[in-house]
Amino acid sequence: MDNQIFYPSMLKCFSECPLKYKLKYIDNLSMPQNTSSAQKGKKIHALANFYLKGQDISKLENALNYEEKAIFEKLKQNAYFQKEYIQSEYNLTAKINGYWISGRLDALMKDAENYYILDYKTGSVPKNPEYDFQTMLYLIILNKYLNKSNLNFIYIDLKNDKNYEIKLNDKLTSEYEKIITDTCRNISECSTHTANKDKRCEFCEYQKICDYFVDL
Ligand code: SF4
């Protein structure tokens, strides 16, 4: 076991396709991607961060296009976004069963009873939010710091104006720790990095060059 730090995207990538993990995180082979939706997300995240920190964002708001303004308005009206602010764009790292895991929270809020990790989505929300690696890592890391039974993860789906709420409990804590530990161990011990060809290949940035590495 070394001091490698694992991020949600790494665990997700490996669980989907070990070959993709190797190309991306071991060989550091970067491929061009569609950046327009990512740019929109980045802008909303930056704006939300300044807003929560109490900075004057009027000039930045004026520079938004119609669609971006509507998205940011939806976020400001969201009941979770209006709770008591603790931190935003917040890096957290913790050691779980010998493996370092890390993540960057969009925002951490609270009310009288609960803590809420917020994650704003301008694109799509994970298909299975309760077991998405982002959900699992962030809740487990924060639980190490706060050691509370009242932790919640909230995906704010800005496209469909919906919230997905996951409340951490003892059962989920054990399950999440096991999934995270097993996945980190599998990554650390993997030597073959097999290609996992399935319907997700259609959206993989390595699709055009993948067969070359599969045949090696
Ligand atoms: S195209 Fe498919 S098999 Fe190839 S790296 Fe991507 S996900 Fe893996």
Side-chain angles (χ1 to χ4, degrees):
M1 226 177 279
D2 54 24
N3 284 331
Q4 179 173 13
I5 298 176
F6 294 100
Y7 294 88
S9 54
M10 295 168 78
L11 273 64
K12 187 175 175 150
C13 180
F14 183 84
S15 69
E16 288 176 359
C17 177
L19 174 61
K20 184 173 174 180
Y21 179 91
K22 179 179 180 293
L23 297 175
K24 195 166 189 163
Y25 295 107
I26 299 175
D27 299 342
N28 292 318
L29 206 56
S30 58
M31 299 294 286
Q33 291 188 57
N34 181 359
T35 55
S36 64
S37 56
Q39 287 306 329
K40 181 170 65 187
K42 271 187 191 165
K43 217 186 257 186
I44 297 296
H45 280 74
L47 209 53
N49 183 35
F50 295 143
Y51 176 83
L52 288 173
K53 285 186 157 72
Q55 295 173 3
D56 179 7
I57 58 161
S58 49
K59 282 189 185 148
L60 293 172
E61 272 190 293
N62 286 338
L64 295 177
N65 65 32
Y66 180 79
E67 187 198 2
E68 291 161 347
K69 264 186 193 147
I71 291 173
F72 191 53
E73 251 342 282
K74 267 190 221 168
L75 181 60
K76 283 199 287 184
Q77 299 305 320
N78 186 282
Y80 288 109
F81 194 73
Q82 292 179 354
K83 291 194 182 287
E84 188 182 336
Y85 169 72
I86 303 178
Q87 260 292 2
S88 52
E89 295 300 329
Y90 190 29
N91 284 311
L92 280 174
T93 302
K95 203 171 197 177
I96 306 294
N97 298 324
Y99 295 102
W100 286 103
I101 57 172
S102 187
R104 188 177 176 86
L105 277 52
D106 286 353
L108 180 62
M109 318 294 270
K110 70 171 184 173
D111 59 21
E113 287 99 36
N114 288 290
Y115 286 85
Y116 304 93
I117 298 168
L118 304 190
D119 196 84
Y120 333 126
K121 293 287 184 205
T122 50
S124 53
V125 168
K127 283 201 177 70
N128 186 5
E130 196 172 21
Y131 289 93
D132 189 85
F133 278 108
Q134 190 180 24
T135 311
M136 297 193 282
L137 264 73
Y138 288 10
L139 281 170
I140 290 300
I141 293 172
L142 201 61
N143 194 39
K144 283 271 169 198
Y145 285 89
L146 297 176
N147 197 19
K148 304 267 183 198
S149 56
N150 50 2
L151 276 181
N152 301 269
F153 192 109
I154 315 294
Y155 284 102
I156 301 180
D157 176 351
L158 294 164
K159 201 157 78 175
N160 302 302
D161 214 2
K162 276 186 184 167
N163 298 322
Y164 296 83
E165 298 141 13
I166 299 124
K167 186 170 189 62
L168 190 65
N169 55 34
D170 289 346
K171 181 177 169 285
L172 283 179
T173 302
S174 319
E175 275 187 74
Y176 287 178
E177 288 197 358
K178 180 169 176 8
I179 294 169
I180 291 168
T181 306
D182 288 349
T183 311
C184 291
R185 185 184 308 111
N186 290 340
I187 294 175
S188 301
E189 294 176 358
C190 182
S191 56
T192 49
H193 296 100
T194 316
N196 184 17
K197 294 248 177 208
D198 66 14
K199 57 181 189 302
R200 281 181 294 227
C201 293
E202 194 188 330
F203 307 102
C204 175
E205 67 263 39
Y206 299 102
Q207 192 193 19
K208 286 195 178 126
I209 59 166
C210 174
D211 286 339
Y212 170 76
F213 291 96
V214 171
D215 294 339
L216 280 183

